Short mmCIF file of all heavy atoms in Angstrom, two decimals:
data_model
loop_
_atom_site.label_atom_id
_atom_site.label_comp_id
_atom_site.label_asym_id
_atom_site.label_seq_id
_atom_site.Cartn_x
_atom_site.Cartn_y
_atom_site.Cartn_z
N GLY A 1 28.04 55.31 99.94
CA GLY A 1 26.94 54.44 100.31
C GLY A 1 25.98 54.30 99.14
O GLY A 1 26.00 55.07 98.18
N LYS A 2 25.10 53.32 99.25
CA LYS A 2 24.18 53.01 98.16
C LYS A 2 23.28 54.20 97.82
O LYS A 2 23.12 54.54 96.64
CB LYS A 2 23.33 51.80 98.54
CG LYS A 2 22.36 51.38 97.47
CD LYS A 2 21.54 50.19 97.90
CE LYS A 2 20.51 49.85 96.84
NZ LYS A 2 19.60 48.80 97.30
N ASP A 3 22.68 54.85 98.82
CA ASP A 3 21.76 55.96 98.54
C ASP A 3 22.48 57.12 97.86
O ASP A 3 21.95 57.72 96.92
CB ASP A 3 21.10 56.46 99.83
CG ASP A 3 20.02 55.51 100.33
OD1 ASP A 3 19.73 54.51 99.64
OD2 ASP A 3 19.46 55.78 101.42
N LEU A 4 23.68 57.47 98.30
CA LEU A 4 24.43 58.56 97.68
C LEU A 4 24.79 58.21 96.24
O LEU A 4 24.63 59.01 95.33
CB LEU A 4 25.70 58.87 98.48
CG LEU A 4 26.62 59.93 97.89
CD1 LEU A 4 25.89 61.26 97.72
CD2 LEU A 4 27.86 60.11 98.75
N ARG A 5 25.25 56.99 96.03
CA ARG A 5 25.62 56.55 94.68
C ARG A 5 24.41 56.62 93.74
O ARG A 5 24.51 57.11 92.62
CB ARG A 5 26.15 55.11 94.76
CG ARG A 5 27.10 54.73 93.69
CD ARG A 5 27.81 53.39 93.91
NE ARG A 5 27.14 52.40 94.72
CZ ARG A 5 27.50 52.08 95.98
NH1 ARG A 5 28.50 52.69 96.56
NH2 ARG A 5 26.84 51.16 96.64
N GLU A 6 23.24 56.18 94.23
CA GLU A 6 22.04 56.24 93.40
C GLU A 6 21.63 57.68 93.11
O GLU A 6 21.24 58.01 91.99
CB GLU A 6 20.89 55.49 94.09
CG GLU A 6 21.07 53.99 94.07
CD GLU A 6 20.02 53.25 94.88
OE1 GLU A 6 19.16 53.90 95.53
OE2 GLU A 6 20.06 52.01 94.87
N ARG A 7 21.76 58.55 94.12
CA ARG A 7 21.39 59.96 93.92
C ARG A 7 22.30 60.62 92.89
O ARG A 7 21.85 61.42 92.07
CB ARG A 7 21.48 60.69 95.25
CG ARG A 7 21.00 62.10 95.17
CD ARG A 7 20.92 62.72 96.54
NE ARG A 7 20.34 64.04 96.42
CZ ARG A 7 20.04 64.81 97.43
NH1 ARG A 7 20.25 64.37 98.65
NH2 ARG A 7 19.53 65.99 97.25
N LEU A 8 23.58 60.30 92.94
CA LEU A 8 24.52 60.89 92.00
C LEU A 8 24.30 60.41 90.58
O LEU A 8 24.62 61.12 89.62
CB LEU A 8 25.96 60.56 92.41
CG LEU A 8 26.45 61.17 93.72
CD1 LEU A 8 27.83 60.64 94.06
CD2 LEU A 8 26.44 62.67 93.65
N ASN A 9 23.73 59.23 90.44
CA ASN A 9 23.55 58.65 89.11
C ASN A 9 22.13 58.77 88.56
O ASN A 9 21.81 58.17 87.54
CB ASN A 9 23.99 57.18 89.12
CG ASN A 9 25.49 57.08 89.24
OD1 ASN A 9 26.21 57.59 88.40
ND2 ASN A 9 25.95 56.46 90.30
N GLN A 10 21.28 59.57 89.20
CA GLN A 10 19.95 59.84 88.68
C GLN A 10 20.09 60.71 87.43
O GLN A 10 20.96 61.58 87.39
CB GLN A 10 19.10 60.58 89.71
CG GLN A 10 18.67 59.74 90.87
CD GLN A 10 17.91 60.56 91.90
OE1 GLN A 10 17.84 61.78 91.84
NE2 GLN A 10 17.34 59.86 92.87
N PRO A 11 19.23 60.52 86.46
CA PRO A 11 19.28 61.38 85.27
C PRO A 11 19.12 62.85 85.67
O PRO A 11 18.25 63.19 86.45
CB PRO A 11 18.08 60.91 84.44
CG PRO A 11 17.81 59.52 84.91
CD PRO A 11 18.21 59.49 86.37
N GLY A 12 20.02 63.70 85.17
CA GLY A 12 19.96 65.13 85.46
C GLY A 12 20.57 65.55 86.77
O GLY A 12 20.60 66.74 87.07
N ALA A 13 21.06 64.62 87.58
CA ALA A 13 21.65 64.98 88.88
C ALA A 13 22.89 65.81 88.68
O ALA A 13 23.78 65.47 87.91
CB ALA A 13 21.99 63.72 89.67
N GLY A 14 22.95 66.96 89.34
CA GLY A 14 24.13 67.81 89.30
C GLY A 14 24.23 68.72 88.11
O GLY A 14 25.04 69.61 88.09
N SER A 15 23.41 68.54 87.09
CA SER A 15 23.56 69.36 85.89
C SER A 15 23.15 70.81 86.12
O SER A 15 23.69 71.71 85.51
CB SER A 15 22.75 68.77 84.74
OG SER A 15 21.37 68.75 85.05
N ALA A 16 22.22 71.06 87.04
CA ALA A 16 21.77 72.43 87.29
C ALA A 16 22.90 73.29 87.83
O ALA A 16 23.08 74.43 87.42
CB ALA A 16 20.59 72.43 88.25
N ALA A 17 23.69 72.71 88.75
CA ALA A 17 24.80 73.48 89.33
C ALA A 17 25.83 73.83 88.27
O ALA A 17 26.33 74.94 88.21
CB ALA A 17 25.45 72.68 90.46
N VAL A 18 26.13 72.89 87.41
CA VAL A 18 27.12 73.13 86.36
C VAL A 18 26.58 74.15 85.37
O VAL A 18 27.26 75.09 84.98
CB VAL A 18 27.50 71.81 85.65
CG1 VAL A 18 28.37 72.09 84.44
CG2 VAL A 18 28.22 70.89 86.61
N ASP A 19 25.30 74.00 84.96
CA ASP A 19 24.71 74.93 84.00
C ASP A 19 24.65 76.34 84.57
O ASP A 19 24.93 77.31 83.88
CB ASP A 19 23.31 74.47 83.61
CG ASP A 19 23.35 73.22 82.75
OD1 ASP A 19 24.42 72.90 82.20
OD2 ASP A 19 22.29 72.58 82.63
N ASP A 20 24.30 76.49 85.86
CA ASP A 20 24.24 77.81 86.48
C ASP A 20 25.60 78.47 86.48
O ASP A 20 25.72 79.65 86.17
CB ASP A 20 23.73 77.73 87.93
CG ASP A 20 22.26 77.43 88.01
OD1 ASP A 20 21.57 77.57 86.97
OD2 ASP A 20 21.78 77.07 89.10
N ASN A 21 26.64 77.71 86.81
CA ASN A 21 27.97 78.28 86.84
C ASN A 21 28.48 78.64 85.44
O ASN A 21 29.14 79.64 85.25
CB ASN A 21 28.96 77.33 87.52
CG ASN A 21 28.75 77.31 89.02
OD1 ASN A 21 28.23 78.26 89.60
ND2 ASN A 21 29.14 76.21 89.65
N ASN A 22 28.14 77.83 84.47
CA ASN A 22 28.57 78.13 83.11
C ASN A 22 27.88 79.37 82.58
O ASN A 22 28.48 80.16 81.88
CB ASN A 22 28.28 76.93 82.17
CG ASN A 22 29.24 75.80 82.41
OD1 ASN A 22 30.29 75.99 82.99
ND2 ASN A 22 28.87 74.61 81.97
N SER A 23 26.61 79.56 82.91
CA SER A 23 25.90 80.74 82.41
C SER A 23 26.45 82.01 83.05
O SER A 23 26.46 83.06 82.44
CB SER A 23 24.40 80.62 82.66
OG SER A 23 24.12 80.59 84.05
N ASN A 24 26.94 81.92 84.29
CA ASN A 24 27.53 83.09 84.95
C ASN A 24 28.85 83.47 84.32
O ASN A 24 29.24 84.63 84.33
CB ASN A 24 27.73 82.82 86.44
CG ASN A 24 26.42 82.76 87.20
OD1 ASN A 24 25.41 83.27 86.72
ND2 ASN A 24 26.43 82.13 88.35
N ASP A 25 29.56 82.50 83.78
CA ASP A 25 30.86 82.77 83.16
C ASP A 25 30.72 83.57 81.87
O ASP A 25 31.65 84.24 81.44
CB ASP A 25 31.61 81.47 82.86
CG ASP A 25 32.05 80.76 84.13
OD1 ASP A 25 32.09 81.41 85.20
OD2 ASP A 25 32.37 79.57 84.03
#
């Protein structure tokens, strides 16, 4: 849907989860 697509494409969206997992590795 439009709202989900916009949320996924916001600057910085999702990067915290990836960065947290990479730092744990």
